[in-house]
Amino acid sequence: MTKSLKRMATMQRMQVTGLEFFYKNGYYNTSIDDILKELSLSKGAFYYHFDSKEDFFVQIIENLLVRKMYSQLIEPIEGHDNTLDLITQCFEEALETAVHNEFDFGFVLSNFINEFNGKNETIMKHLNDILRIWEVNLVSAVQRGKFNGHIDRHVDSEGVAVYLMSSYIGVRTLMVETAPSARKYRFMSQLRQYFKSLEPKTATV
C-alpha cells in the first residue's frame, strides 16, 4: 500500500471510529484519547491528519454524516415515481434499519444538533446545512408530486416538509429504548393515513 493510500485508510478508520464514539457517548464526553486507544494509534498520528478535535468532527460531518443522510433520507426520494410512495418506502427502510440496530442511540443528526446548540457555532452551521438540504429535497419532492398529479395542488409543500422532518426525528427519539418495532409500525400506519389526506381531491357530482 502506498503512503498516500495508507494515510487515507488511517483517516477513514479514525473518522468511522470517531463517529461511533461521538454518536454513542456524545462529543463532549468523548476524548481523542478514547478514540486513539480503540485504534491503537498515537496522538502524533491524529495531529498529522487533523488540526484539532473540532476539525476532526467537522471532517466527520463532511465525509461521513452527509453521505449517510444522503443515502438514507435524500437519494431514495429523488425519483419520478409517486412521491408519497417514495417517502413512505424511504421512512420504512430507514426506521427498519434502526429497529435492528442494537446500538441505536437515536437519530444521529438531531442528537448532535441538540448537543451543540448554543455551544459551537461552527459545528452548528455544518449540521444545520445538512438539515436545510434535507428540507429542500423534501419540499422539491412534494412539489414534484403536485406537478405529477400524485399530491393535491393546494398542499403546502414547505409545511409538509417541516411536518415530515419533525415527525421522523420525533419517532426516532421515541424508538431508542421503548418497543422500537411497535412504535415504528404505529408511526408508519399514521403516516400512510396522513398521506391519503394529501392526495388529489376527486370532484363529487
Side-chain angles (χ1 to χ4, degrees), residues 93-142:
E93 292 178 357
L95 293 176
E96 187 64 18
T97 298
V99 166
H100 295 289
N101 180 8
E102 60 180 309
F103 301 108
D104 180 37
F105 301 100
F107 184 40
V108 60
L109 180 60
S110 63
N111 287 4
F112 288 145
I113 286 173
N114 289 334
E115 182 173 13
F116 288 106
N117 190 27
K119 295 178 181 176
N120 189 310
E121 288 185 12
T122 300
I123 290 176
M124 277 301 295
K125 180 184 181 304
H126 287 276
L127 296 173
N128 280 322
D129 283 347
I130 300 176
L131 209 58
R132 275 190 288 272
I133 291 168
W134 186 23
E135 182 177 5
V136 166
N137 277 268
L138 279 169
V139 170
S140 297
V142 175

Side-chain angles (χ1 to χ4, degrees), residues 172-191:
R172 282 293 288 109
T173 302
L174 292 173
M175 286 171 62
V176 172
E177 292 185 3
T178 308
S181 185
R183 290 197 158 174
K184 175 219 156 190
Y185 174 79
R186 292 189 178 102
F187 171 80
M188 291 306 303
S189 295
Q190 292 304 310
L191 182 68

Side-chain angles (χ1 to χ4, degrees), residues 6 16 35 39 92 95 108 110 134 161 168 198:
K6 190 173 181 179
V16 169
I35 297 165
L39 295 170
E92 176 82 39
L95 293 176
V108 60
S110 63
W134 186 23
Y168 181 86
L198 303 183

